[in-house]
Amino acid sequence: MIFDIVLEGGSIITMDDKNRILSQSCIAIKDGKIQAIFPIGSSSYEAKQKIDTRNCFIIPGLINMHSHLPMTYFRGLADDLPLNTWLQKYIWPLEAKLIKPQLVYDATLHGASEMIKNGISTTNDMYFCMNSIADACSQVGLRVFISEALIDNESPKEYRDNTIGRRITQLKEEYKDNPLIDFTLAPHSIYACSAQTLKTCAKIAKDNNILIHTHLSEIREEVENCLKIHKLKPVEYLKELGLLEVRGIFAHGIWIEEEEMELLAEKGLSSIAICTESNLKLSSGFAPIKKYQEKGINLCLGTDGVASNNNLDLLTEMSVTAKLHKALNNDPTMLPAQEAFAFVTINAAKALGKEKELGSLETGKIADIAVVSLQELENSPVYNPYSLLVYAINSHSIRDMIIQGKIVMQNRQLCNVNEQQILDKAAEYKEMILQATEK
Amino acid sequence: MIFDIVLEGGSIITMDDKNRILSQSCIAIKDGKIQAIFPIGSSSYEAKQKIDTRNCFIIPGLINMHSHLPMTYFRGLADDLPLNTWLQKYIWPLEAKLIKPQLVYDATLHGASEMIKNGISTTNDMYFCMNSIADACSQVGLRVFISEALIDNESPKEYRDNTIGRRITQLKEEYKDNPLIDFTLAPHSIYACSAQTLKTCAKIAKDNNILIHTHLSEIREEVENCLKIHKLKPVEYLKELGLLEVRGIFAHGIWIEEEEMELLAEKGLSSIAICTESNLKLSSGFAPIKKYQEKGINLCLGTDGVASNNNLDLLTEMSVTAKLHKALNNDPTMLPAQEAFAFVTINAAKALGKEKELGSLETGKIADIAVVSLQELENSPVYNPYSLLVYAINSHSIRDMIIQGKIVMQNRQLCNVNEQQILDKAAEYKEMILQATEK
């Protein structure tokens, strides 16, 4: 067999079920998959392309479990504000005025490129204009699970009947030959959707084996309102509507009580995508990670959108999460590095139901790989690879990115897009957005 | 006048007392100082070197107010452990075995180089072997305030009489022609020093106009022990010994009560160097920033040593601090970006008593300058420079560094050291340290 690519040398942080670290090893890739992993010099082979990865860590491409890619142009537009001012004065009016397929495409191209530069190979996104997101991610080479945020007061009819189900089925059909693109179903939240919409989503998801992606208990007020209106705690309410019967990714999950966690744990289909930095910056609160772990709930991380973060740096997200929860629990042994690294790799793959294809480096899995250069002062010395990855590394140490067996970044140069054009475009949109803000 | 260097174009984030941002402006440097700031194209001039800084932010070099540079080789050696295990099983025995002038020099060369690559132009360091630290920082081109950690049970005699005072006076004399090097006096902490030592330090500091740098109330147990042994709260005790009569930098400052803050505020000579990431990772606690601000106490930030952080990234430190304290105070308007940026610039200069020379970009001040490239996807679009610097930027966007009017990094290449040699050296020491750990 002639391989497409062989990564030659380096330490492979596999994240397999034995957490093996294979030093001085190679990964051979063909047809989008990892075909073989072997010690350097142990066998002869032919390859169309060989990449020197000695003095590197080879890690699974990172998986970002909650993002809003098309918000990239809103980065830093309105910070240090109360949540309601931020949403009602800035974000929502701007979205109402500006969100069109072309802006969504351009902003997604920017955000998706930025994600790849930060080591992210897959993102689980929620916004509007799904085709634009699909096309932009496809252009950049980023794997994406796309959903449209369903908000009842905007176009209720569509969600109450099965239009949305048909639309997703159509989109799946349209992009079926594109291995990077998949679609999920995203009732925005309990507060933005009627019971009927949520129930319909659960049914569509179940009938069509589609993932549910939604916001859950991000701020305390949400929980209070749910109790007031529906006489149930948020997770109880979701259960009643059938949303725990399907694979679900619940973003934020801050104000969730232990008995709700037990409901989430029952079927083992629900995962929480914690968005630490966004939650800190908007002062939403602290996710109860320790309790989730005690209940056996699968945890992963998301950057959220840059309007609230303000970057797409999942490694920093992981680092802050691992450090913060030590202090919150008054326990420096809480969330050790290896466990935190699983949040952005294998746990995330499990949340997507893709643990047989993504999230670790094993023969037969899809070749989504990040190469980390150790030629940086802050990456030296290395005593423990996980510790380096979680506490010390800078995301700009990500040197090369391979997604679906294709090189999408090499030596920090993106292969499929022109960064200068992306920057120029952002500068143009900035003027337009400022004008729209002033009106 | 022929300038040494002119930075041509870009937005100057001055951090002057009006927080001016000067767009499309130039900075002219000669003899280590900022000689002029003027709009691009407004005057003709000659310069030995011109640097194109269009599409950049020009910011004051960052000031790291608490570090242990020579610990760089201990990065990631022992993480996710209880504080006592970490200190008693790993750090202290290793230090006892290994700390010699050559290791201190080599590790400092590494750490100081890393700091410059992260935009830091000045650090306030505490360790052992002051000459080695001075020589290494001098080699790299980093400005440093150096102190030797005075620990009573190690060499009490030296500190009880005035040997330490004479030694600092001698060192100041020895390095008097080196504008990068200064010395401070560092009784390690209340728990590591006798009352006599602390009192002697206060007197020496007062008589010789030397800064005091010490650890204060990092963990709760320290406070309890101080109360038990000295029948006073830590700050009350310091006051009694005269340590609030001199300019002091108190690292950590987590477990401090309001009445102690009032004592710190009385003379206006005391500053707190908060080490957020170290405090999270070792689960020491959360500094009461809001209360400090209410009492008018000057606040700045430190990375601490990489054994507890594990990087020397002051921008991340600032970002995490600004986000964390919003959540802790349940107030997204708390610690807005501009205020947080002052922690690592002008506030730090004030803490050092050097606000007339450092911490802002103004004519007549020392030319300690960081150039931030905006040619990165995560730095675009820019609506608010402070917001970008605090919430979005990656430290690797620091493109050039000027310290004392000299270029020490250009296009991310360090000018005075060889990075590969530093990495090779770290790999050698790693083996030695691992062997020493196993014994």
Side-chain angles (χ1 to χ4, degrees):
Chain A
M1 186 190 296
I2 299 172
F3 297 122
D4 294 335
I5 303 167
V6 176
L7 305 181
E8 297 187 309
S11 290
I12 304 175
I13 319 298
T14 66
M15 297 309 284
D16 68 10
D17 57 7
K18 296 202 174 74
N19 285 302
R20 267 177 283 225
I21 295 178
L22 310 169
S23 61
Q24 299 186 40
S25 290
C26 302
I27 295 189
I29 299 163
K30 190 176 167 66
D31 298 335
K33 290 198 172 169
I34 296 174
Q35 301 289 348
I37 297 178
F38 50 89
I40 193 164
S42 66
S43 64
S44 63
Y45 50 81
E46 283 182 79
K48 291 181 198 157
Q49 188 167 8
K50 295 177 179 186
I51 301 177
D52 182 353
T53 49
R54 286 172 299 172
N55 204 22
C56 291
F57 284 163
I58 322 288
I59 62 173
L62 309 177
I63 304 178
N64 185 0
M65 287 302 289
H66 184 62
S67 66
H68 305 292
L69 275 168
M71 295 184 88
T72 305
Y73 289 154
F74 299 151
R75 183 201 319 275
L77 177 67
D79 290 319
D80 304 328
L81 294 169
L83 185 67
N84 281 343
T85 313
W86 177 74
L87 271 177
Q88 292 171 17
K89 192 169 161 210
Y90 291 91
I91 301 303
W92 288 343
L94 277 174
E95 289 185 338
K97 267 189 244 181
L98 298 178
I99 294 308
K100 304 210 169 98
Q102 188 61 45
L103 181 143
V104 168
Y105 178 88
D106 292 327
T108 300
L109 203 70
H110 188 140
S113 299
E114 189 177 332
M115 282 194 191
I116 287 176
K117 295 201 87 174
N118 286 331
I120 295 167
S121 57
T122 297
T123 196
N124 180 41
D125 205 74
M126 183 200 292
Y127 208 64
F128 309 102
C129 309
M130 291 190 277
N131 279 88
S132 300
I133 297 173
D135 295 341
C137 289
S138 187
Q139 173 63 40
V140 178
L142 181 73
R143 185 181 309 286
V144 63
F145 290 77
I146 303 169
S147 59
E148 178 151 319
L150 308 181
I151 297 173
D152 250 354
N153 60 6
E154 292 188 1
S155 47
K157 176 124 189 7
E158 184 170 4
Y159 315 138
R160 279 196 205 122
D161 62 26
N162 195 12
T163 314
I164 184 66
R166 281 198 300 276
R167 201 146 110 238
I168 290 183
T169 315
Q170 278 163 13
L171 282 167
K172 278 187 175 256
E173 179 63 23
E174 188 181 339
Y175 288 90
K176 74 173 190 297
D177 297 328
N178 188 334
L180 296 177
I181 307 297
D182 204 346
F183 295 89
T184 74
L185 194 52
H188 177 279
S189 54
I190 289 175
Y191 58 86
C193 295
S194 67
Q196 186 54 48
T197 296
L198 291 166
K199 214 187 269 184
T200 305
C201 285
K203 186 174 183 323
I204 297 169
K206 188 146 203 182
D207 293 349
N208 300 278
N209 194 25
I210 297 173
L211 271 167
I212 290 281
H213 179 194
T214 190
H215 297 97
L216 178 63
S217 300
E218 178 177 2
I219 62 171
R220 199 196 292 252
E221 203 185 359
E222 265 176 73
V223 178
E224 287 160 6
N225 287 339
C226 182
L227 271 169
K228 205 182 298 173
I229 298 167
H230 306 295
K231 317 293 173 212
L232 290 169
K233 290 175 188 158
V235 177
E236 292 169 347
Y237 180 60
L238 292 180
K239 182 182 159 97
E240 191 182 78
L241 298 170
L243 280 152
L244 305 189
E245 302 288 319
V246 291
R247 190 171 292 282
I249 296 149
F250 299 101
H252 304 294
I254 296 176
W255 301 99
I256 292 195
E257 294 181 8
E258 285 188 57
E259 55 197 76
E260 294 179 273
M261 293 180 193
E262 281 160 19
L263 298 179
L264 286 172
E266 266 174 12
K267 303 264 173 181
L269 294 169
S270 307
S271 295
I272 305 287
I274 295 161
C275 302
T276 305
E277 291 190 282
S278 165
N279 297 158
L280 293 178
K281 184 155 172 285
L282 295 171
S283 71
S284 310
F286 306 99
I289 287 187
K290 192 172 181 180
K291 285 189 182 153
Y292 280 132
Q293 290 185 317
E294 285 165 2
K295 303 287 178 193
I297 291 168
N298 185 48
L299 299 177
C300 43
L301 296 178
T303 56
D304 209 352
V306 297
S308 48
N309 182 321
N310 300 354
N311 57 46
L312 298 168
D313 187 341
L314 197 61
L315 286 173
T316 304
E317 199 72 41
M318 169 179 66
S319 181
V320 174
T321 304
K323 289 171 183 164
L324 172 64
H325 288 268
K326 290 172 174 56
L328 289 172
N329 290 283
N330 194 23
D331 177 4
T333 71
M334 162 87 191
L335 203 44
Q338 184 181 303
E339 216 170 281
F341 194 56
F343 282 22
V344 296
T345 53
I346 190 67
N347 286 19
K350 283 177 191 158
L352 293 163
K354 300 284 183 191
E355 68 272 26
K356 290 189 179 148
E357 297 156 85
L358 303 173
S360 66
L361 300 179
E362 299 176 73
T363 302
K365 280 205 166 185
I366 290 173
D368 282 8
I369 302 171
V371 176
V372 179
S373 167
L374 298 178
Q375 288 292 104
E376 293 283 348
L377 296 175
E378 65 236 1
N379 295 346
S380 161
V382 183
Y383 295 100
N384 175 330
Y386 298 108
S387 170
L388 189 91
L389 289 165
V390 176
Y391 302 125
I393 204 180
N394 181 300
S395 290
H396 285 215
S397 297
I398 306 288
R399 192 191 74 180
D400 311 318
M401 285 291 289
I402 292 169
I403 301 179
Q404 190 69 28
K406 293 204 165 60
I407 301 170
V408 295
M409 179 172 78
Q410 192 157 23
N411 292 320
R412 298 219 38 84
Q413 296 300 309
L414 295 170
C415 303
N416 303 326
V417 289
N418 178 316
E419 275 193 58
Q420 188 58 55
Q421 280 172 11
I422 291 173
L423 289 167
D424 292 345
K425 192 69 86 176
E428 280 172 36
Y429 275 106
K430 174 191 161 183
E431 296 308 321
M432 192 183 104
I433 289 167
L434 279 177
Q435 280 171 22
T437 313
E438 280 157 16
K439 270 173 203 162
Chain B
M1 187 192 292
I2 299 172
F3 298 121
D4 294 335
I5 302 167
V6 176
L7 305 179
E8 297 185 311
S11 289
I12 304 174
I13 319 297
T14 65
M15 297 308 284
D16 68 9
D17 58 6
K18 296 202 175 74
N19 284 302
R20 268 177 283 224
I21 294 178
L22 310 169
S23 61
Q24 299 186 39
S25 291
C26 301
I27 295 189
I29 297 163
K30 192 178 165 63
D31 298 333
K33 291 198 170 171
I34 296 173
Q35 301 291 348
I37 297 179
F38 49 88
I40 194 164
S42 67
S43 64
S44 63
Y45 50 81
E46 282 182 78
K48 291 181 199 158
Q49 188 167 8
K50 296 177 179 185
I51 301 178
D52 183 352
T53 49
R54 286 172 300 170
N55 204 23
C56 290
F57 284 162
I58 322 291
I59 63 173
L62 309 177
I63 304 177
N64 185 359
M65 287 302 289
H66 183 61
S67 66
H68 305 293
L69 275 167
M71 296 184 86
T72 305
Y73 289 153
F74 298 151
R75 184 201 319 276
L77 176 67
D79 290 318
D80 304 328
L81 294 171
L83 185 66
N84 281 342
T85 313
W86 177 74
L87 271 176
Q88 292 171 18
K89 192 170 163 209
Y90 291 90
I91 301 301
W92 288 343
L94 277 173
E95 288 185 338
K97 268 190 245 181
L98 298 178
I99 294 308
K100 303 213 169 96
Q102 188 62 44
L103 181 142
V104 168
Y105 177 88
D106 291 327
T108 300
L109 204 70
H110 188 140
S113 299
E114 190 177 331
M115 283 195 191
I116 287 177
K117 295 201 87 173
N118 285 331
I120 295 168
S121 56
T122 298
T123 196
N124 179 42
D125 205 74
M126 183 199 293
Y127 207 64
F128 309 103
C129 310
M130 291 191 277
N131 279 88
S132 300
I133 298 173
D135 294 342
C137 288
S138 188
Q139 173 63 41
V140 178
L142 181 73
R143 185 182 308 286
V144 63
F145 290 76
I146 303 169
S147 60
E148 178 151 319
L150 307 181
I151 296 172
D152 251 353
N153 60 6
E154 294 188 359
S155 46
K157 174 125 192 6
E158 183 171 5
Y159 318 136
R160 279 196 205 121
D161 63 24
N162 194 12
T163 314
I164 184 65
R166 281 199 299 278
R167 200 147 111 240
I168 290 183
T169 316
Q170 279 163 12
L171 281 167
K172 278 187 176 256
E173 179 62 22
E174 189 181 335
Y175 288 90
K176 73 173 191 296
D177 297 328
N178 188 334
L180 296 177
I181 309 297
D182 204 345
F183 295 89
T184 73
L185 194 52
H188 177 279
S189 55
I190 288 174
Y191 58 86
C193 296
S194 67
Q196 186 54 49
T197 296
L198 290 166
K199 215 188 270 183
T200 304
C201 284
K203 186 174 181 326
I204 297 169
K206 187 146 202 179
D207 292 349
N208 301 278
N209 194 25
I210 295 173
L211 271 166
I212 290 281
H213 180 194
T214 190
H215 297 97
L216 178 63
S217 300
E218 178 176 2
I219 62 170
R220 201 197 292 253
E221 203 184 1
E222 266 177 71
V223 177
E224 287 161 8
N225 287 338
C226 182
L227 271 170
K228 205 183 297 174
I229 299 167
H230 307 294
K231 317 292 173 210
L232 290 169
K233 290 173 187 157
V235 177
E236 292 169 347
Y237 180 60
L238 293 180
K239 183 182 158 96
E240 191 181 79
L241 299 169
L243 279 153
L244 305 189
E245 303 287 319
V246 292
R247 188 171 293 282
I249 296 150
F250 299 102
H252 305 293
I254 295 175
W255 300 99
I256 294 197
E257 295 180 7
E258 283 188 57
E259 55 198 75
E260 294 179 273
M261 293 181 193
E262 281 160 19
L263 298 179
L264 287 171
E266 266 175 11
K267 302 265 172 180
L269 293 169
S270 307
S271 296
I272 305 288
I274 295 161
C275 302
T276 305
E277 291 189 281
S278 165
N279 298 158
L280 293 178
K281 183 155 172 288
L282 296 170
S283 70
S284 310
F286 307 99
I289 288 187
K290 192 173 183 180
K291 284 189 183 153
Y292 280 132
Q293 290 185 317
E294 284 164 3
K295 302 288 178 192
I297 290 168
N298 185 48
L299 298 177
C300 42
L301 296 178
T303 56
D304 209 351
V306 297
S308 49
N309 182 320
N310 299 351
N311 56 47
L312 297 169
D313 187 341
L314 197 60
L315 287 174
T316 304
E317 199 71 42
M318 169 177 69
S319 181
V320 173
T321 305
K323 289 170 183 164
L324 172 64
H325 287 268
K326 288 171 175 57
L328 289 172
N329 290 283
N330 193 24
D331 176 6
T333 70
M334 162 87 192
L335 204 42
Q338 185 181 302
E339 217 170 279
F341 194 56
F343 281 23
V344 296
T345 53
I346 191 66
N347 286 19
K350 283 177 190 158
L352 293 163
K354 299 285 183 191
E355 67 272 27
K356 289 188 180 150
E357 295 157 85
L358 302 172
S360 65
L361 300 178
E362 298 175 72
T363 302
K365 280 207 166 185
I366 289 173
D368 282 9
I369 302 171
V371 177
V372 179
S373 166
L374 298 178
Q375 288 292 104
E376 293 284 347
L377 295 175
E378 65 236 0
N379 296 345
S380 161
V382 183
Y383 295 100
N384 174 331
Y386 299 108
S387 169
L388 189 91
L389 290 165
V390 176
Y391 303 125
I393 205 180
N394 182 299
S395 290
H396 285 215
S397 298
I398 305 287
R399 192 190 75 182
D400 312 317
M401 284 292 288
I402 293 169
I403 301 178
Q404 191 69 28
K406 293 203 165 60
I407 302 171
V408 296
M409 181 173 77
Q410 192 157 22
N411 291 320
R412 296 214 46 81
Q413 298 300 308
L414 294 169
C415 303
N416 303 325
V417 290
N418 179 317
E419 276 193 58
Q420 188 56 54
Q421 281 173 11
I422 292 173
L423 290 167
D424 292 346
K425 191 71 84 176
E428 281 172 36
Y429 275 107
K430 174 191 161 184
E431 297 310 321
M432 192 183 105
I433 289 167
L434 279 177
Q435 279 171 23
T437 312
E438 279 156 18
K439 271 173 203 163

